[in-house]
Amino acid sequence: MNKFVFAYYGGPTSMTREEGQAHMANWMAWMESLGDAVLDRGHAVGESQTATEAGTGKHGGAIPLTGYSVIQAQDMATALDMASVSPHIKVGGTIEVAPVLDMSM
């Protein structure tokens, strides 16, 4: 099996408490539906900052990273199928799927 990072971007800028709870329940149900494919549910992340050769800045990009997960799948097509039914997409976010490269470090 191959490992993939799901990088969550965007999503709603505001939700009521009830909407947020419903979204989290949907997200947890989706995670549960992935079963053993989930290696690390990951975390939501706060506002990012950027480090470059020119220095640092308080701008994390036009569509900021909002969280990540690590899953395993047979191939990229399967990982994309898993991501495509995420509740995160249904609330206006996107998920970037990237393979984890097996490199000795």
Side-chain angles (χ1 to χ4, degrees):
M1 287 290 214
N2 300 298
K3 294 179 185 175
F4 295 88
V5 172
F6 284 7
Y8 305 98
Y9 290 90
T13 55
S14 64
M15 287 185 167
T16 66
R17 179 179 173 95
E18 293 77 20
E19 290 169 334
Q21 289 172 337
H23 175 62
M24 184 53 73
N26 291 336
W27 190 87
M28 293 297 286
W30 169 67
M31 274 279 127
E32 291 296 324
S33 77
L34 297 178
D36 292 339
V38 178
L39 300 177
D40 180 354
R41 287 181 183 216
H43 294 279
V45 299
E47 185 177 343
S48 63
Q49 297 186 23
T50 303
T52 68
E53 188 175 346
T56 61
K58 292 189 177 191
H59 186 293
I63 303 174
L65 178 71
T66 54
Y68 74 93
S69 298
V70 180
I71 61 100
Q72 62 183 353
Q74 188 65 36
D75 51 34
M76 177 62 86
T78 303
L80 287 167
D81 286 345
M82 291 173 175
S84 69
V85 296
S86 168
H88 184 71
I89 292 172
K90 294 176 180 156
V91 295
T94 62
I95 301 174
E96 185 173 332
V97 179
V100 174
L101 301 178
D102 187 17
M103 300 172 57
S104 68
M105 301 195 55

